[in-house]
């Protein structure tokens, strides 16, 4: 504040504020708060640091704090595991930075027309990748999508058991557990792990777990350990035979090459949109999706907003919310789970990203990623002291073991060489992530660093 | 009256654009090898995506962006506290040191980020009196979900799982409160409003028992009425063994005036994308900053930032409920909220509350002079807080023009939609503008002038208003309610 004036507040200059107060017959704002009993009023120190109201000082301050971070721009980043370093086209940054997309909340179908079209282009293009006709607007994250999908399956089947891979991203599992638990014990969803063999679901163990109590079988392709679930179609067939839903989690960056979840037999597909042109943002780049067939049984259980193509009074194309009544906005506690502010700006980013790539772009992206990941895995496996757990059958992530060395130790030493090493998944094993951003030189540099660290 | 017309581009769907062979993005292909995908998992046919060049994609989405009115017009969308989103904060959050950070980098490589989180936690403690804040919740509803999960865990830790099964709230609370609590397995008890504009103490006492797990309440409510009995409410709930959660969605009018902890609440929630200057993104990414007492802190979702030596580390609370979404939250938005709050300072924050309440009451003096406009609970005289709920029932009865028609027609003058009301509607034809601190008096006057003009038009030519909008990219939908007939993807639409 400078003499009572603040740049974010056009009515803050004292004379202008006094004019407004005069309209109310007041000289001071205090009487306006008469509704609040004096005993409720806080008159003490708000414990705030000094204001930095001028942009020069605030910019210097923020820059000095942010300068203490390292990032995937200045350090070779091989961390993935739920949020991944991918390339974000400059055009996508330009589009999501537009004030019209960045700052609004909610208007009418007419005044929000452009954004609703962008959202429809998001759900339509994602539907093409997934080969599924019904795609909801985004949820918070892959984990949230899994939680909602599990609850949808429970409502559809009237059953309350969910089978999940024993190896599941711990962050995602924790989110799921919250959605599955209940203050009403009869309403809780029981989560049962499917044993794994060679980093995949052990198909032989599945029949013993399936039964008339199972609401859904959840698998991922590729899975948390990076591996393709080569038996996905067989697992889905078994689930279907048992009357259970199949939920498949996928990496959309793989879908130019890899069979769609629909082709593998999924009833519901989920995943993260972060690979589709969204920066990691220290975890703020997450966004989840839920998709399925568009039969009533599934459509009626969506908790998300559903942005539909629609027609105007003069027969032109527009968009509006479909089945709004089943959302928590429409029906409070009688709605399906809940919804609220989500990650809709990222849906716009993903729409632009999918359009930029097109069918050939997704093919090239997938081919580049899988090729580089295998090159990297082979290169790292040649380093003495490194063991590659599975030499093939993965997309962009693979497991390296450091016999006799802890991942913590190895990663600390790699950092000194300018490398964020793979994510620790066991004390002596790490999940490495390689994408289109990693060049042959990057891979060679990381291998050299590993060799020095493990020497 | 200034004229306005939205751009009309008649832009096709991106899926219908382009020509075979065009590309909008290339990738380096050294070492690329599609044959590494196991045969059983290969995609049969390429995805049905458009083939467009980079400039075509850019121009397409720029055109779409121009067909969003939002904050380019005047947006007084009540309950969402439309405010200025400082572009400095956008620029800072776009630095690689935020934007290109992986959340599981070792803490030593993100000390600046953790410092910002820690500092902002401390600042929100100052504004609420709470002992600890976490930022994992990805919106206000997710913070309500956090509370529901924590109540579940807290009562279970005291051996009362299965006994404390009820959540009490008001009919005026945001739908996310009952909806998240119901998802967590609680039975919902919703109190009706009493004659004073908030539920009576008697109705609360009748609802509370040894089965009460939790109270979820906002104050003031969306009608601008502050419940002066709120400390008594908290006392009653506590005496019964329940927890009390303050949904601070309507914080803008009481910033620095009250603190949730001093009022007795165990926990509260601030929406950084509303009150703290973070852009809304058309519905996220958002942050529901969740603060609580020392007694509840061990149940917070983790990890949380702690001070360690001269730096910062991460720690998961002892009885953590786990995660309400992955990682630490939308931390790039926390950076922006920190920037906004530092720019405001304690004095600026108090001033913003003053101005938002002054402007709302200024609006009221002018709005109530417009024929057909009334306010909720008109018998409750005195100043309202930062927003007031009005009704256009009088206009509807006189002209047949509905509140939605007025909303559509105002957009023709560059006024973005006002907020009507959460479900259920307690007053007919409701509308709820919220002035906030970031719109000038001239903007507010324009907004009111436009409403007055539309009311005039409603009398002079009701059919013109009923058929509005007329100055948007498209006219209104032929069906107000889209149900089973809708299609969320082009493949579904064209298959019909």
């Amino acid at each position: 504040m400078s003499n009572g004036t603040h740049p974010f507040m056009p009515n803050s200059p004292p004379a202008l504020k006094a004019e407004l107060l005069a309209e109310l017959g007041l000289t001071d704002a205090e009487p306006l708060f008469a509704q609040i009993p004096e005993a409720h009023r806080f008159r003490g120190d708000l414990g705030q640091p000094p204001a930095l109201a001028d942009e020069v000082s605030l910019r210097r301050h923020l820059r000095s704090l942010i300068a203490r971070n390292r990032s995937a721009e200045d350090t070779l980043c091989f961390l993935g595991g739920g949020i991944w370093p991918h390339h974000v086209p400059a055009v996508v940054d330009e589009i999501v930075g537009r004030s019209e997309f960045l700052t609004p909340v909610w208007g009418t179908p007419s005044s929000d027309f452009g954004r609703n079209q962008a959202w429809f282009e998001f759900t339509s293009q994602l539907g093409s990748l997934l080969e599924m006709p019904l795609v909801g607007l985004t949820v918070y994250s892959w984990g949230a999508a899994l939680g909602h999908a599990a609850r949808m399956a429970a409502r559809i089947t009237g059953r309350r058991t969910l089978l999940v891979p024993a190896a599941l991203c711990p962050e995602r599992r924790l989110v799921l557990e919250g959605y599955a638990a209940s203050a009403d014990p009869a309403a809780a969803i029981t989560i049962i792990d499917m044993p794994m063999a060679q980093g995949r679901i052990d198909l032989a163990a599945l029949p013993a777990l399936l039964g008339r109590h199972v609401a859904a079988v959840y698998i991922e392709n590729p899975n948390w350990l990076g591996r393709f679930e080569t038996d996905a179609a067989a697992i889905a067939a078994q689930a279907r035979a048992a009357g259970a839903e199949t939920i498949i989690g996928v990496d959309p960056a793989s879908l130019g090459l890899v069979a769609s979840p629909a082709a593998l037999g999924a009833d519901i597909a989920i995943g993260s949109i972060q690979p589709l042109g969204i920066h990691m943002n220290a975890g703020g780049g997450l966004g989840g999706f839920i998709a399925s067939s568009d039969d009533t049984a599934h459509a009626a259980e969506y908790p998300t907003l559903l942005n539909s193509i629609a027609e105007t009074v003069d027969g032109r194309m527009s968009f509006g919310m479909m089945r709004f009544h089943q959302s928590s906005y429409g029906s409070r506690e009688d709605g399906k789970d809940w919804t609220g502010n989500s990650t809709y700006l990222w849906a716009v980013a993903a729409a632009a990203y999918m359009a930029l790539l097109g069918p050939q772009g997704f093919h090239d992206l997938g081919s580049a990623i899988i090729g580089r990941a295998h090159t990297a895995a082979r290169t790292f496996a040649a380093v003495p002291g490194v063991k590659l757990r599975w030499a093939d059958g993965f997309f962009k992530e693979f497991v390296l073991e450091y016999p006799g060395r802890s991942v913590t130790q190895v990663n600390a030493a790699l950092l000194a060489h300018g490398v964020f090493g793979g994510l620790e998944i066991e004390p002596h094993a790490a999940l490495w992530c390689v994408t289109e951003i990693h060049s042959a030189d990057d891979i060679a540099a990381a291998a050299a660093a590993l060799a020095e660290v493990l020497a | 009256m200034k004229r306005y017309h939205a751009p009309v581009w008649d832009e096709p769907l991106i899926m219908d654009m382009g020509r075979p062979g065009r590309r909008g993005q290339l990738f380096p292909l050294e070492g690329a090898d599609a044959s590494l995908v196991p045969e059983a998992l290969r995609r049969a046919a390429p995805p049905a995506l458009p083939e467009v060049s980079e400039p075509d994609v850019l121009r397409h989405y720029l055109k779409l962006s121009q067909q969003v009115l939002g904050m380019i017009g005047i947006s007084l969308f009540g309950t969402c506290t439309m405010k200025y989103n400082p572009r400095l904060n956008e620029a800072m959050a776009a630095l690689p040191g935020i934007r290109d950070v992986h959340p599981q980098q070792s803490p030593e490589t993100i000390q600046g980020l953790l410092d910002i989180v820690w500092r902002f936690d401390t600042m929100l403690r100052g504004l609420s009196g709470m002992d600890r804040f976490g930022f994992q919740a990805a919106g206000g509803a997710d913070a309500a979900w956090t509370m529901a999960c924590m109540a579940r865990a807290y009562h279970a830790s005291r051996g009362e799982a299965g006994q404390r099964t009820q959540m009490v709230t008001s009919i005026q609370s945001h739908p996310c409160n009952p909806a998240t609590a119901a998802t967590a397995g609680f039975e919902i008890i919703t109190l009706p409003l009493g004659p004073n504009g908030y539920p009576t103490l008697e109705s609360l006492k009748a609802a509370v028992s040894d089965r009460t797990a939790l109270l979820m309440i906002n104050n003031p409510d969306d009608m601008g009425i502050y419940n002066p009995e709120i400390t008594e409410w908290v006392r009653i709930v506590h005496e019964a063994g329940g927890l009390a959660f303050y949904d601070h969605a309507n914080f803008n009018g009481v910033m620095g005036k009250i603190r949730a902890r001093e009022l007795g609440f165990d926990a509260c929630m601030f929406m950084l994308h509303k009150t703290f200057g973070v852009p809304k993104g058309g519905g996220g990414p958002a942050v529901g900053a969740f603060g609580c007492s020392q007694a509840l802190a061990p149940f917070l979702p983790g990890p949380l930032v702690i001070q360690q030596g001269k730096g910062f580390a991460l720690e998961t609370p002892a009885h953590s409920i786990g995660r309400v979404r992955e990682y630490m939250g939308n931390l790039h938005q926390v950076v922006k909220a920190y920037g906004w709050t530092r720019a405001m300072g304690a004095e600026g924050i108090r001033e913003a509350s003053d101005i938002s309440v002054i402007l709302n009451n200024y609006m009221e003096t002018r709005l109530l002079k417009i024929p057909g406009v009334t306010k909720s609970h008109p018998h409750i005289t005195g100043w309202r807080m930062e927003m007031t709920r009005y009704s256009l029932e009088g206009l509807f009865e006189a002209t047949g023009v509905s509140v939605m028609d007025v909303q559509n027609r105002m957009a023709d003058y560059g006024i973005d939609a006002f907020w009507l009301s959460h479900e259920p509607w307690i007053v007919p034809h409701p509308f709820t503008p919220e002035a906030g601190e970031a719109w000038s008096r001239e903007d507010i006057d324009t907004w009111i002038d436009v409403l007055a003009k539309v009311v005039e038009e409603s009398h002079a030519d009701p059919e013109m208003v009923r058929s509005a909008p007329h100055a948007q990219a498209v006219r209104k939908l032929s069906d107000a309610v889209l149900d089973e007939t809708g299609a969320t993807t082009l493949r579904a639409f064209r298959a019909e």
Side-chain angles (χ1 to χ4, degrees), chain A residues 145-398:
Chain A
L146 175 54
H148 287 301
R151 298 179 64 93
M152 288 168 67
R155 292 193 294 266
I156 290 166
T157 60
R159 305 172 179 185
R160 311 212 67 82
T161 295
L162 174 72
L163 305 187
V164 303
L168 183 62
C169 169
E171 296 275 331
R172 203 172 300 147
R173 181 186 286 273
L174 284 168
V175 177
L176 171 65
E177 285 172 352
Y179 281 71
S182 180
D184 171 7
I189 294 172
T190 305
I191 301 167
I192 293 179
D193 283 355
M194 293 178 280
M196 305 186 74
Q198 293 299 306
R200 298 176 176 132
I201 302 294
D202 182 356
L203 195 58
L206 192 55
L209 297 174
L210 279 167
R212 304 216 58 83
H213 59 294
V214 176
V217 175
Y218 174 61
I219 57 173
E220 295 175 345
N221 186 49
N223 66 23
W224 156 247
L225 299 171
R227 305 217 82 197
F228 287 117
E229 200 57 76
T230 37
D231 291 326
I235 294 167
Q238 287 197 23
R240 177 150 307 177
E245 294 277 295
T246 299
I247 306 168
I248 302 187
V250 296
D251 179 349
S254 73
L255 292 178
L257 300 183
V258 175
S260 73
L264 296 175
D267 298 292
I268 302 174
I270 62 170
S272 172
I273 64 165
Q274 184 267 330
L276 301 177
I278 299 155
H279 295 274
M280 295 185 288
N281 284 304
L286 296 184
F289 65 81
I290 303 172
S292 68
S293 67
D294 57 358
D295 57 85
T296 303
H298 287 90
E301 297 304 334
Y302 271 68
T304 65
L305 294 182
L306 297 167
N307 179 51
S308 170
I309 194 165
E311 204 172 70
T312 61
V313 287
D314 56 347
R316 290 187 169 273
M317 175 183 73
S318 188
F319 309 90
M321 291 303 150
M322 150 185 156
R323 293 179 171 272
F324 187 76
H325 62 87
Q326 73 190 42
S327 74
S328 55
Y329 283 123
S331 299
R332 296 175 71 88
E333 68 269 25
D334 296 327
K336 307 297 178 183
D337 303 344
W338 85 88
T339 190
N341 270 291
S342 181
T343 54
Y344 300 152
L345 182 65
W346 297 151
V348 176
Y353 182 86
M354 290 184 278
L356 282 167
L357 264 65
Q360 190 61 42
F362 271 98
H363 182 272
D364 289 355
L365 174 71
S367 309
I369 290 173
I370 198 169
R372 278 153 198 253
H374 281 74
T375 304
R378 278 195 308 274
T379 310
F380 298 156
V383 173
V386 173
K387 181 167 173 274
L388 176 63
R389 190 172 285 180
W390 298 293
D392 58 12
F394 55 86
F395 180 54
K396 69 185 178 190
E397 290 169 300
F398 51 86

Side-chain angles (χ1 to χ4, degrees), chain B residues 252-302:
Chain B
N252 218 48
V254 294
M255 293 189 292
K257 314 286 183 191
I258 56 169
R259 298 206 306 178
R261 188 79 186 113
E262 273 82 11
L263 297 178
F265 284 93
D266 303 289
C268 73
M269 175 271 286
F270 295 124
M271 281 185 277
L272 305 188
H273 50 291
K274 294 188 176 176
T275 320
F276 291 84
V278 172
K280 295 182 176 64
V287 184
F290 183 91
C292 67
S293 66
Q294 205 63 57
L296 283 184
F299 298 94
L300 278 167

Side-chain angles (χ1 to χ4, degrees), chain A residues 6 11 23 35 42 50 52 61 69-70 99 102 121 123-124 129 133 141 143 171 183 257 259 283 311 323 342, chain B residues 41 43 61 87 97 99-100 109 184 226 257 281 283 325-327 338 342-343 439 441 478 482 488-490:
Chain A
H6 194 285
N11 304 301
E23 296 278 0
Q35 284 194 73
F42 180 77
L52 295 170
H61 171 67
N69 296 337
R70 293 176 67 168
S99 291
L102 179 71
E121 293 175 356
T123 48
S124 288
L129 282 172
S141 65
E171 296 275 331
L257 300 183
E311 204 172 70
R323 293 179 171 272
S342 181
Chain B
L41 291 177
R43 190 174 181 108
Y61 286 102
R87 296 311 194 265
R99 196 166 78 170
D100 297 308
T109 66
Y226 183 90
K257 314 286 183 191
R325 51 149 267 176
E326 296 90 321
Y327 310 118
Y338 174 73
R342 285 306 304 266
W439 301 97
R441 177 184 179 166
S478 59
L482 295 169
T488 64
T489 63
L490 194 58

Side-chain angles (χ1 to χ4, degrees), chain B residues 163-243:
Chain B
Q163 186 202 320
R164 295 205 174 261
T165 55
Q166 296 178 339
M167 190 283 275
V168 179
T169 190
S170 146
I171 192 75
Q172 273 293 290
S173 66
H174 188 280
C176 75
N177 289 297
T180 53
T183 303
F186 291 108
E187 181 192 339
I188 309 304
I189 300 179
T190 303
L191 305 179
L193 300 187
N196 294 327
Y198 44 86
T200 63
L201 278 175
E202 289 65 38
S203 69
L204 177 71
K205 285 174 188 161
V208 166
S209 71
D210 61 0
R211 290 195 290 159
T212 302
L214 176 66
L215 169 74
M216 300 176 93
I217 200 81
N218 59 353
N219 192 33
D221 61 26
D222 301 350
M223 300 176 299
I225 297 169
Y226 183 90
N227 179 352
E229 296 168 344
I230 200 69
T231 50
E232 185 63 7
W233 278 53
V234 174
R235 191 188 62 73
I236 290 167
V237 170
H238 280 168
E239 266 184 19
L243 295 170

Side-chain angles (χ1 to χ4, degrees), chain A residues 3-232:
Chain A
N3 296 323
T5 299
H6 194 285
F8 302 166
M9 296 191 282
N11 304 301
S12 60
L16 303 187
K17 189 175 152 195
E19 261 179 33
L20 280 165
L21 282 165
E23 296 278 0
L24 303 177
L26 300 174
T27 53
D28 181 87
E30 186 58 29
L32 295 169
F33 296 90
Q35 284 194 73
I36 307 176
E38 181 55 34
H40 293 196
R41 288 295 295 271
F42 180 77
R43 306 272 183 194
D45 180 0
L46 290 173
Q48 301 300 301
L52 295 170
D54 72 273
E55 197 168 302
V56 175
S57 307
L58 182 57
R59 180 176 183 276
R60 179 175 300 140
H61 171 67
L62 290 172
R63 282 198 75 104
S64 74
L65 285 166
I66 294 167
R68 288 159 52 202
N69 296 337
R70 293 176 67 168
S71 78
E73 279 290 290
D74 56 41
T75 305
L76 282 178
C77 179
F78 294 95
L79 286 165
I83 189 163
W84 306 270
H86 282 287
H87 176 66
V88 176
V91 161
V92 174
D93 282 333
E94 165 77 10
I95 290 165
V96 296
R98 290 283 293 190
S99 291
E100 297 92 329
F101 287 138
L102 179 71
T103 62
V105 61
W106 202 260
T108 65
S110 300
S111 67
D112 280 345
F113 173 72
R115 187 189 60 198
N116 293 352
Q117 180 168 340
W119 285 350
F120 184 75
E121 293 175 356
F122 162 73
T123 48
S124 288
Q125 293 181 89
L126 188 57
S128 291
L129 282 172
L130 302 169
E131 297 185 313
M132 284 185 156
L134 182 59
V135 183
L137 282 183
T138 56
V139 296
Y140 304 130
S141 65
W142 189 343
L146 175 54
H148 287 301
R151 298 179 64 93
M152 288 168 67
R155 292 193 294 266
I156 290 166
T157 60
R159 305 172 179 185
R160 311 212 67 82
T161 295
L162 174 72
L163 305 187
V164 303
L168 183 62
C169 169
E171 296 275 331
R172 203 172 300 147
R173 181 186 286 273
L174 284 168
V175 177
L176 171 65
E177 285 172 352
Y179 281 71
S182 180
D184 171 7
I189 294 172
T190 305
I191 301 167
I192 293 179
D193 283 355
M194 293 178 280
M196 305 186 74
Q198 293 299 306
R200 298 176 176 132
I201 302 294
D202 182 356
L203 195 58
L206 192 55
L209 297 174
L210 279 167
R212 304 216 58 83
H213 59 294
V214 176
V217 175
Y218 174 61
I219 57 173
E220 295 175 345
N221 186 49
N223 66 23
W224 156 247
L225 299 171
R227 305 217 82 197
F228 287 117
E229 200 57 76
T230 37
D231 291 326

